[in-house]
Amino acid sequence: MEIVTPKCLGKREARKQDRRAAILAIAKRHFMEQGYVGVSMSAIAAELGGSKGTLWSYFASKEELFDACVDEATRDYREQVMQLLVPSDNLKATLCAFIRSLLRKVTSKDAIQLHRVIHAEVERSPEMGEIFFRRGPQRTRELLAAHLQDAMHKGQLRSSDPLKAAFALTSLCMGSQQRAMLGHQFSDGEIEEEADYIVDLFLRAFAPEPAAA
């Protein structure tokens, strides 16, 4: 009878995580090059090697695999957002730092490539757009909404629906993304200037209501 030690379990789990990472790396490349519809689980399994059952044991469907790819692609940025959105007496500085990071993210080469794939495929595969929105923009807005809600409670912003306020703030960045998708490459100076303008506009719109006389 084989005795399974903690060390063996650790090695087994490490191999499992390495295998999962390899699957995601292959799948991400396939999705970016071929779009959602053009990708087949069989093609990914063939490149991975081994039996098809290996791939299916990790991901039960192409939709689940795409979901995992988007989650991995956005994980580092979510962690960056959480580090930026720390409650502070200087709300403007915090929001400027966040918007600068968001502008750099949405105008980056990888983000533009991913959005082009999404836009090209979403009519044929609505689930692709839903997964991307849930894993990407929606999570960022939820993190921002929590921060804005805290600012509202402190009187730094007027009371409002924090998720709608987060949507309003992040939507102000979409014009820059549109320019990037059309080929414009933003300089650091342009990012700084745009972030300052966006945050100033947002803070004017959500300024605390004056106290009653």
Side-chain angles (χ1 to χ4, degrees), residues 109-129:
K109 182 178 179 181
D110 287 347
I112 294 303
Q113 184 180 6
L114 178 58
H115 275 81
R116 283 174 175 157
V117 170
I118 298 289
H119 291 166
E121 296 287 333
V122 72
E123 186 172 345
R124 291 186 296 174
S125 307
E127 67 272 24
M128 187 183 191

Side-chain angles (χ1 to χ4, degrees), residues 83-213:
Q83 292 172 2
L84 289 171
L85 293 177
V86 177
S88 166
D89 291 336
N90 194 337
L91 178 62
K92 182 175 182 178
T94 300
L95 292 182
C96 280
F98 165 74
I99 290 299
R100 285 194 296 269
S101 76
L102 182 59
L103 287 172
R104 291 190 183 102
K105 178 67 175 177
V106 300
T107 61
S108 68
K109 182 178 179 181
D110 287 347
I112 294 303
Q113 184 180 6
L114 178 58
H115 275 81
R116 283 174 175 157
V117 170
I118 298 289
H119 291 166
E121 296 287 333
V122 72
E123 186 172 345
R124 291 186 296 174
S125 307
E127 67 272 24
M128 187 183 191
E130 292 170 4
I131 291 169
F132 173 73
F133 179 76
R134 186 175 66 249
R135 286 292 190 182
Q138 183 65 11
R139 284 192 172 184
T140 299
R141 286 170 183 163
E142 288 170 353
L143 291 171
L144 176 60
H147 185 79
L148 296 180
Q149 185 174 43
D150 180 72
M152 290 172 188
H153 287 162
K154 292 177 178 178
Q156 294 173 310
L157 298 172
R158 66 175 174 83
S159 295
S160 183
D161 182 322
L163 192 57
K164 288 182 178 179
F167 179 82
L169 179 54
T170 55
S171 293
L172 292 172
C173 298
M174 293 305 101
S176 297
Q177 184 184 56
Q178 184 181 51
R179 287 186 67 196
M181 292 187 73
L182 294 173
H184 183 74
Q185 295 183 349
F186 283 84
S187 67
D188 289 341
E190 286 177 309
I191 292 290
E192 293 278 347
E193 183 178 350
E194 188 70 7
D196 288 344
Y197 177 78
I198 287 171
V199 172
D200 183 65
L201 188 63
F202 176 80
L203 291 178
R204 289 174 184 271
F206 285 86
E209 297 177 358

